[in-house]
Structures are given as structure tokens and as C-alpha cells.
Amino acid sequence: MSRFCIMRFQKYKLGSVANIERHQMHRERLKHRKHPERECKNVTWRQNPEKTMTQVIRGVMREQEKQTGKKVRKDAVALVEFVLTFSPEMEEELDFDQWHRANLKWLEEQFGEGKIIMHTTNHDELSQHGHYYLCPVDERGYLNASRYFGKKK
């Protein structure tokens, strides 16, 4: 059988962030949970445990507006979600915690320390995987996804 590691990412506007967070926090409603007995192994980490991702991003936007004196665009990319996973056949061969830490380290090297505002591990689905949520803030403190991912083209 083939062995694969998979990474996908998707950009989101502020209006979608609450739904994403709700999806991660209410796992019992998911249809695709093949291993609900492993839910106790799921881990969620937040940069600021007292705030939701929406609140953290709104704080970044307020700070940018203070610095520039201009409103942040309504359609600005506010969050980027990375999903990293591997083939189910590799589950026995990999140390998931070590793999997860290596993913975090790589993301911080690529995008800068402190940009990941939340990450979760999901063990209760067919393939164990991690979701990593990044606020695309550039060196000046501005929301700027095109700095990291280029323009729409």
C-alpha cells in the first residue's frame, strides 16, 4: 500500500472563523468519526485560552487600524487553516506526537513564531491529523495573506 503525507491549506475571511471553531469544539456531531473511543486523545491548544479565534483576529484588526488609521478590508483573509495528515497505513509506524511537534516547528519556521493562534489534533477520525490555524500577519503587524501565499492568480 502507498504511504502518503498530505498537507492542504485554505484561506478564510472573518465571517467563517466562528463556524470553523465550532466544528472543532463539538466533535460529537460529526458524521465521519470512525473512532469515537479515541476522542479522549484529541488535544486543542490556543494561543490565548480566554479568547475565541474571532476575538484574537478582531484584536489584530483593531491594532492594524490604530497603526494605519484605515479600516481593514471586509474581505481580507483573516485565517489560514492547514490540515496535515498521513495514510492510515502509517499509523503504526509514526509517533503521532513527535510528528505533530515537527509540523508545528515547520509552520513556525515558514510563517514566523506566534502566528499560530490555535491547533488541534484529531484522533477520532479514520486518519489521525492536525488542524493548524494561522493568522497571516506580516512583519508590520498587518493582515496580509498575499505576503505568504501570493495573489489570487
Side-chain angles (χ1 to χ4, degrees):
M1 289 191 195
S2 300
R3 294 185 170 118
F4 296 100
C5 284
I6 300 131
M7 177 182 79
R8 75 156 181 85
F9 73 93
Q10 186 163 347
K11 300 183 280 187
Y12 293 99
K13 312 234 183 315
L14 185 62
S16 301
V17 174
N19 289 336
I20 294 163
E21 195 163 19
R22 196 173 309 112
H23 170 79
Q24 289 301 329
M25 297 301 115
H26 299 290
R27 309 238 1 115
E28 67 279 356
R29 296 183 200 160
L30 299 180
K31 298 173 190 159
H32 303 293
R33 292 185 340 146
K34 298 288 185 207
H35 303 285
E37 72 281 0
R38 296 193 316 198
E39 184 176 2
C40 60
K41 295 172 79 177
N42 292 351
V43 175
T44 297
W45 173 89
R46 293 173 185 270
Q47 185 184 66
N48 188 335
E50 290 82 43
K51 294 184 177 181
T52 65
M53 286 195 298
T54 303
Q55 291 169 329
V56 170
I57 293 166
R58 283 201 172 132
V60 168
M61 294 170 110
R62 275 193 300 276
E63 198 58 40
Q64 179 178 336
E65 288 170 359
K66 261 192 240 176
Q67 285 181 5
T68 63
K70 298 177 187 173
K71 295 280 277 175
V72 175
R73 292 173 53 133
K74 287 181 181 179
D75 66 344
V77 172
L79 185 75
V80 181
E81 176 190 32
F82 286 86
V83 178
L84 290 112
T85 188
F86 49 84
S87 304
E89 300 84 33
M90 295 175 64
E91 197 171 293
E92 299 299 318
E93 300 170 30
L94 279 177
D95 176 349
F96 184 84
D97 292 332
Q98 183 180 358
W99 181 81
H100 173 65
R101 285 191 300 278
N103 288 334
L104 278 170
K105 182 180 176 197
W106 180 81
L107 286 165
E108 287 185 339
E109 287 170 359
Q110 297 302 308
F111 301 102
E113 210 169 305
K115 305 260 172 74
I116 297 174
I117 60 173
M118 184 173 124
H119 60 82
T120 64
T121 61
N122 297 144
H123 296 269
D124 53 352
E125 295 180 38
L126 180 62
S127 295
Q128 297 179 63
H129 60 278
H131 293 263
Y132 306 84
Y133 300 97
L134 172 93
C135 188
V137 178
D138 67 12
E139 304 79 24
R140 301 171 301 161
Y142 296 177
L143 281 176
N144 187 0
S146 63
R147 150 77 173 81
Y148 302 103
F149 304 102
K151 301 286 183 190
K152 198 171 191 171
K153 287 183 184 178

